[in-house]
């Protein structure tokens, strides 16, 4: 089985979107590109309204990911849990596909005897430690998020520490919505390190609308551009090898 790369989008928000494309539809398009979309809804004492809750669940369902509502003080452990859970879910899907190719199209992991299931889950756990991971984090910067940003920063640093303990490589990128001048703004390009957040985050100011749909759409394009660049570089390297340079 090829090790491959798992691509995840992690949306951190505290309510429903109110601008641009339907985020549930945009999450479905991301999933078609092999990107899992996870959503964490951050609450304070007041609960997220029903529309916001439905949207959070809908985005994760159509994006093939995990959704979780959480109080601000529990955010750090939730960010790690959702990321790991989505990774396991994706890997189980990959293993199921492999099993169907070997044993027949109707077979699922649940159909196997318990000891076989246990062996397969060991493989899934091992892959979770070795698979390469690309996570694009989308942070809601609407006015109601202002007091939550320090906790978001700490949560992302904790996530980086947790994932960096794995053997597989990690790449992180961060987008904000809304940005200073447009709906979506790139805060950090792909990097294996999130430590620079400590200096960037305190300077951010929250305010304005919540364009979740455009943010997911832009993040999907960003993954696609990275994929195109990677295939172009691979093709270039092959040409150099063939020409004997």
């Amino acid at each position: 089985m090829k090790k491959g790369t798992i691509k995840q989008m992690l949306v951190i928000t505290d309510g429903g979107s109110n601008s641009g494309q339907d985020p549930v539809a945009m999450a479905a398009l991301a999933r078609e590109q092999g990107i899992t979309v996870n959503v964490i809804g951050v609450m304070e004492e007041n609960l997220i309204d029903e529309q916001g809750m439905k949207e959070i669940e809908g985005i994760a369902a159509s994006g093939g990911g995990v959704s979780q509502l959480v109080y601000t003080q529990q955010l750090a452990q939730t960010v790690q849990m959702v990321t790991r859970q989505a990774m396991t879910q994706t890997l189980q899907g990959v293993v199921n596909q492999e099993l169907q190719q070997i044993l027949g199209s109707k077979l699922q992991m649940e159909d196997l005897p318990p000891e076989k299931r246990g062996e397969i889950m060991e493989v899934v756990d091992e892959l979770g430690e070795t698979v390469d991971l690309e996570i694009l984090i989308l942070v809601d910067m609407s006015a109601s998020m202002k007091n939550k940003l320090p906790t978001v920063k700490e949560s992302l640093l904790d996530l980086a520490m947790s994932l960096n303990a794995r053997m597989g490589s990690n790449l992180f990128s961060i987008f904000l919505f809304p940005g200073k001048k447009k709906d979506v703004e790139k805060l950090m390009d792909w990097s294996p390190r999130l430590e620079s957040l400590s200096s960037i985050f305190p300077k951010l100011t929250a305010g304005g609308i919540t364009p979740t749909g455009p943010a997911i759409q832009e993040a999907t394009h960003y993954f696609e551009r990275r994929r195109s660049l990677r295939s172009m570089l691979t093709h270039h390297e092959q040409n150099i090898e063939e020409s004997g340079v």
Side-chain angles (χ1 to χ4, degrees):
M1 189 183 297
K2 288 181 184 174
K3 190 175 71 164
T5 300
I6 287 182
K7 298 175 175 65
Q8 284 193 31
M9 217 180 278
L10 176 63
V11 183
I12 300 176
T13 182
D14 69 348
S17 60
N18 52 23
S19 173
Q21 298 92 327
D22 175 12
V24 175
M26 292 302 105
L29 290 173
R31 187 181 188 181
E32 285 176 16
Q33 301 294 327
I35 304 159
T36 303
V37 185
N38 307 308
V39 194
I40 296 175
V42 190
M43 303 179 291
E44 288 184 306
E45 296 311 312
N46 53 325
L47 293 172
I48 291 176
D49 63 36
E50 194 174 336
Q51 184 187 344
M53 281 175 63
K54 274 187 182 170
E55 183 178 281
I56 284 165
E57 289 166 2
I59 292 168
S62 68
V66 178
S67 66
Q68 187 77 38
L69 294 177
V70 63
Y71 287 109
T72 311
Q73 59 269 31
Q74 300 161 318
L75 185 59
Q77 65 206 65
T78 305
V79 167
Q80 288 183 41
M81 182 197 75
V82 164
T83 304
R84 293 270 186 177
Q85 196 178 329
M87 191 156 56
T88 300
Q89 207 167 275
T90 303
L91 289 168
Q92 280 178 336
V94 171
V95 169
N96 260 334
Q97 284 176 351
E98 297 264 344
L99 280 177
Q100 286 170 5
Q101 284 178 2
I102 298 165
L103 301 170
S105 60
K106 292 184 180 175
L107 190 80
Q108 294 285 325
M109 196 156 72
E110 293 74 26
D111 303 326
L112 295 171
E115 66 274 13
K116 287 292 177 193
R117 278 205 306 269
E119 286 173 22
I120 288 168
M121 282 312 299
E122 280 181 30
V123 172
V124 168
D125 290 342
E126 190 180 321
L127 283 170
E129 290 302 308
T130 57
V131 73
D132 293 339
L133 188 57
E134 293 177 3
I135 303 183
L136 198 154
I137 301 149
L138 292 167
V139 181
D140 180 351
M141 294 296 289
S142 56
S144 52
M145 282 290 288
K146 184 177 180 181
N147 295 332
K148 303 177 182 119
L149 288 180
T151 314
V152 170
K153 180 197 81 174
E154 294 305 324
S155 302
L156 296 180
L157 290 171
D158 281 356
L159 174 68
M161 282 178 63
S162 163
L163 294 178
N164 284 339
R166 302 179 322 114
M167 288 164 63
S169 70
N170 305 302
L171 279 178
F172 305 97
S173 182
I174 301 176
F175 278 46
L176 310 176
F177 65 102
K180 284 181 184 173
K181 296 179 181 174
K182 47 189 179 180
D183 281 349
V184 193
E185 179 185 341
K186 180 173 69 178
L187 179 70
M188 192 178 94
D189 204 346
W190 292 113
S191 169
R193 309 182 75 82
L194 275 177
E195 288 83 347
S196 57
L197 283 182
S198 296
S199 57
I200 301 169
F201 251 69
K203 298 170 187 171
L204 298 178
T205 53
I209 52 171
T210 314
T212 315
I216 294 172
Q217 183 184 44
E218 179 58 32
T220 303
H221 291 332
Y222 194 59
F223 270 111
E224 287 172 7
R225 285 195 293 272
R226 175 171 169 72
R227 186 185 298 148
S228 300
L229 180 63
R230 207 163 33 198
S231 65
M232 194 169 67
L233 288 171
T234 304
H235 183 65
H236 181 62
E237 284 167 4
Q238 285 171 347
N239 285 345
I240 289 173
E241 280 179 21
E242 286 166 12
S243 63
V245 174

